[in-house]
């Protein structure tokens, strides 16, 4: 089931983000990761349109949207490659004809997922705070 998240679920979502992010972004510094973790709690989740994927009363993944942009899509590592990310993106396609996302070029999980889904790169830049190449991708 996919539903909107509740504020009291933020710790669960941050935990999923942290587990998944450490696997997808091993190239990021601990300092940067801790900074983003705090921002997830205080800024990103409270200010985005977030939906959760729930199975047997457990949140297995979530997607956070800012208008038509996927601000974050994270699935618990033990549930990767089971269609949860695809289900969440498909759910958002009901509300937005075109979707956009930014993903680190070195992200060996997210980048192939978005490419498989049909996202195409239309812009690249170096994120100053990480010195990493970021790809801006969109559908259609």
């Amino acid at each position: 089931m996919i539903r909107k998240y509740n504020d009291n679920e933020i710790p669960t979502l941050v935990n999923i983000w942290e587990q998944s992010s450490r696997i997808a972004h091993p190239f990021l510094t601990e300092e940067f990761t801790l900074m983003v973790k705090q921002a997830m709690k205080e800024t990103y989740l409270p200010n985005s349109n977030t939906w959760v994927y729930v199975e047997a009363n457990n949140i297995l993944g979530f997607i956070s949207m800012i208008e038509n942009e996927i601000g974050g899509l994270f699935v618990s590592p033990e549930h990767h490659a089971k269609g949860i990310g695809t289900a969440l993106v498909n759910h958002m396609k009901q509300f937005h004809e075109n979707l956009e996302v930014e993903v680190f070029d070195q992200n060996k999980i997210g980048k192939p997922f978005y490419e498989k889904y049909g996202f195409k790169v239309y812009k690249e830049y170096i994120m100053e705070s990480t010195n990493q190449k970021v790809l801006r991708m969109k559908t259609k």
Side-chain angles (χ1 to χ4, degrees):
M1 168 177 81
I2 297 174
R3 63 163 172 78
K4 286 206 167 208
Y5 91 109
N6 299 311
D7 289 341
N8 64 337
E9 295 170 327
I10 287 178
T12 300
L13 302 187
V14 170
N15 185 48
I16 290 170
W17 167 83
E18 187 170 23
Q19 289 177 38
S20 297
S21 187
R22 290 187 184 280
I23 293 169
H25 308 130
F27 48 87
L28 296 176
T29 65
E30 184 67 16
E31 180 184 12
F32 181 80
T33 301
L34 291 174
M35 179 189 71
V36 174
K37 182 177 180 178
Q38 195 64 33
M40 289 288 293
K41 295 176 193 175
E42 297 174 0
T43 306
Y44 299 151
L45 289 169
N47 292 301
S48 64
N49 183 10
T50 299
W51 297 76
V52 293
Y53 184 99
V54 181
E55 199 171 271
N57 292 320
N58 293 314
I59 297 173
L60 305 183
F62 70 94
I63 189 167
S64 293
M65 302 293 297
I66 302 166
E67 297 180 17
N68 74 319
E69 181 174 349
I70 299 171
L73 171 60
F74 295 94
V75 175
S76 292
E78 62 271 18
H79 296 286
H80 282 180
K82 295 183 180 176
I84 295 169
T86 299
L88 288 163
V89 173
N90 286 343
H91 187 73
M92 291 299 103
K93 289 288 282 182
Q94 297 176 76
F95 307 108
H96 305 284
E97 184 178 344
N98 299 308
L99 296 173
E100 296 191 25
V101 68
E102 287 190 348
V103 63
F104 287 107
D105 188 44
Q106 288 191 52
N107 183 336
K108 304 294 187 221
I109 297 170
K111 181 181 167 188
F113 170 83
Y114 292 117
E115 289 172 338
K116 182 179 174 184
Y117 197 92
F119 283 75
K120 303 287 185 214
V121 175
Y122 73 93
K123 183 179 175 184
E124 298 178 5
Y125 69 93
I126 300 296
M127 181 184 281
E128 287 185 31
S129 57
T130 63
N131 201 32
Q132 294 291 319
K133 185 195 296 187
V134 174
L135 308 175
R136 185 135 183 100
M137 305 174 83
K138 64 181 174 179
T139 56
K140 294 196 176 188

